[in-house]
Amino acid sequence: TEPGSDCVVSDINEEVSTNADIRIFVENRLKRFSLPLLPDQVDDLVQRAAGLFIWSSTLFKYIERSMNKTRDLRLFLSGSKKDEPLAQLYRLYDLIVDSAVDIGHQQDVEVLQVILGIIYVSAGNRPLSAAAISAFLRTDERFEDWDGASVQNMTRALHAVLYEDNSMRGVVRVSHLSFLEFIEKKLQHGFRIEIQTLHQLLSSGCFTIM
């Protein structure tokens, strides 16, 4: 599936790669980042990908900007390897989302969830820029301090799964449609905010902005 598509449905089964292809990609990235791993650890990364190239691609997008690449890579080598491919991918997304939030600021967790919710709700219609997301966010008095730059800092912290489409004035898009599906599941169970509340936020925000 091409990045930037506004369709919410993806088919993971159509994106299965061979373990040999994934191994070549993993070894190439480890060499680029000068990350020494034992052969069994490389095997581990290939096994965790479970044939999904998007798993490996997303992992190394995150590692590329990591402050401590060795530490963070070892974090992804922890946990069970027996999960289904999609479960492995969602666990990777969970770790990436958690890493974007400063645990010292509890409000950041809620703000991040609202931002991801807005991205999900607007993706099927017209994606929004960080400034536009901020305009809706700030209609809630709890988030009045979150200007465009603050929202942009948050979305850029999720560079492994989000990107700014400069061909459309910097709208924030998901790098892969499976991340939208991940957000949908989190809105159903896991996030503090629900889809209905997000629709109300965007609706009232439109009237406030007008």
Side-chain angles (χ1 to χ4, degrees):
T1 305
E2 291 297 323
S5 170
D6 294 334
C7 177
V8 181
V9 178
S10 67
D11 189 348
I12 292 294
N13 294 326
E14 293 181 357
E15 301 181 19
V16 175
S17 303
T18 67
N19 284 347
D21 291 335
I22 292 175
R23 177 178 292 278
I24 291 172
F25 175 80
V26 168
E27 290 177 343
N28 177 273
R29 288 301 184 272
L30 290 173
K31 182 186 240 183
R32 176 187 295 184
F33 301 141
S34 300
L35 290 168
L37 285 184
L38 298 173
D40 62 332
Q41 291 174 313
V42 175
D43 291 339
D44 192 337
L45 287 176
V46 174
Q47 183 178 345
R48 288 178 188 279
L52 295 182
F53 181 78
I54 184 61
W55 189 93
S56 299
S57 175
T58 302
L59 169 63
F60 283 102
K61 281 182 184 177
Y62 173 79
I63 294 298
E64 183 174 8
R65 297 191 193 178
S66 169
M67 298 294 290
N68 189 326
K69 292 179 173 55
T70 301
R71 177 201 62 197
D72 289 344
L73 186 57
R74 292 190 188 284
L75 173 65
F76 290 108
L77 286 168
S78 64
S80 173
K81 293 182 287 186
K82 298 180 180 180
D83 292 337
E84 293 295 322
L86 191 58
Q88 286 282 2
L89 183 61
Y90 282 6
R91 179 175 178 271
L92 175 60
Y93 287 157
D94 268 323
L95 291 170
I96 290 171
V97 169
D98 289 345
S99 72
V101 177
D102 184 344
I103 59 175
H105 296 280
Q106 287 302 312
Q107 189 197 53
D108 287 5
V109 175
E110 186 170 7
V111 168
L112 177 59
Q113 292 177 1
V114 174
I115 290 172
L116 289 177
I118 291 174
I119 290 172
Y120 170 80
V121 171
S122 62
N125 186 10
R126 176 176 293 181
L128 304 174
S129 65
I133 293 172
S134 169
F136 284 108
L137 193 66
R138 294 170 71 185
T139 60
D140 187 321
E141 61 182 12
R142 294 173 300 166
F143 310 129
E144 60 185 4
D145 293 330
W146 284 82
D147 58 14
S150 300
V151 171
Q152 189 174 58
N153 288 338
M154 185 72 82
T155 57
R156 286 182 174 177
L158 290 168
H159 61 271
V161 289
L162 300 177
Y163 73 100
E164 295 172 16
D165 187 348
N166 292 323
S167 69
M168 293 190 65
R169 300 182 180 179
V171 298
V172 180
R173 294 186 182 275
V174 297
S175 296
H176 194 267
L177 295 179
S178 61
F179 187 63
L180 278 184
E181 296 169 349
F182 166 80
I183 297 173
E184 180 181 25
K185 290 186 181 298
K186 284 296 184 179
L187 289 169
Q188 294 168 349
H189 180 73
F191 279 2
R192 301 176 188 177
I193 190 166
E194 298 178 344
I195 294 178
Q196 182 179 358
T197 305
L198 286 163
H199 281 293
Q200 292 171 349
L201 175 68
L202 290 177
S203 297
S204 62
C206 284
F207 287 112
T208 300
I209 292 168
M210 286 191 293

